[in-house]
Amino acid sequence: MTSSYKAFDLLSFQLGMAAAFCEMVQQGVKKLALSPPIDQKDLPQLEKALYEVAGHYGVSVWIDSAFLPSQLAREEDLEGKAVALLYRDEQMLTAYRQLKEQRQQLKDQGLSPAECDGAITPALQNLLGYPR
């Protein structure tokens, strides 16, 4: 996308995506939404604006520097990236953290990354409000 549009600003684009998801959370369309994966090196530039936008919509932000790998986002695609979770109800963050713990337990039991991803993906999809 950036190669076809020379004036493209990735950080503005990512902030705009997060703002759209904040509005969805505010309006109750989604209970939990995610920013796009953000390079760790870009996070200091984007973080303050992200919190400001979320605050405008009355949405909480929790930045996960080790976002939960799944069939939605593979571990290798998340390396060096952070994802902001956007929510209003603290229970959504709690459920997400429990899902991360569940994946770690599966990994500790000897399941392969692909098996772990497959096991937790339906629950993550449910948290994100994806249709079944």
Side-chain angles (χ1 to χ4, degrees):
M1 173 175 8
T2 58
S3 63
S4 63
Y5 184 62
K6 298 300 178 200
F8 183 83
D9 181 82
L10 181 60
L11 297 181
S12 294
F13 179 75
Q14 291 173 327
L15 184 60
M17 288 179 66
F21 280 119
C22 284
E23 184 176 4
M24 288 183 199
V25 171
Q26 177 200 42
Q27 295 300 315
V29 175
K30 294 180 74 59
K31 292 184 179 189
L32 176 67
L34 308 172
S35 74
I38 302 163
D39 275 317
Q40 294 279 358
K41 66 177 176 48
D42 294 331
L43 193 56
Q45 290 178 271
L46 196 58
E47 190 170 7
K48 183 178 178 186
L50 182 59
Y51 278 99
E52 187 176 316
V53 166
H56 172 77
Y57 288 101
V59 171
S60 296
V61 177
W62 187 71
I63 297 176
D64 190 350
S65 297
F67 185 73
L68 176 65
S70 68
Q71 291 174 335
L72 303 177
R74 298 176 313 166
E75 197 164 10
E76 54 269 21
D77 295 334
L78 295 167
E79 194 168 314
K81 305 207 186 275
V83 174
L85 282 75
L86 310 165
Y87 58 94
R88 290 185 79 174
D89 183 348
E90 198 68 30
Q91 291 178 346
M92 297 308 294
L93 180 58
T94 300
Y96 170 79
R97 287 177 167 166
Q98 289 171 343
L99 196 52
K100 281 186 79 168
E101 290 173 14
Q102 180 184 346
R103 187 184 188 281
Q104 185 60 50
Q105 289 170 355
L106 293 170
K107 187 177 177 182
D108 292 346
Q109 292 171 9
L111 272 68
S112 71
E115 290 171 318
C116 293
D117 293 351
I120 59 96
T121 295
L124 181 58
Q125 289 173 318
N126 186 50
L127 282 177
L128 293 169
Y130 288 10
R132 291 185 179 233

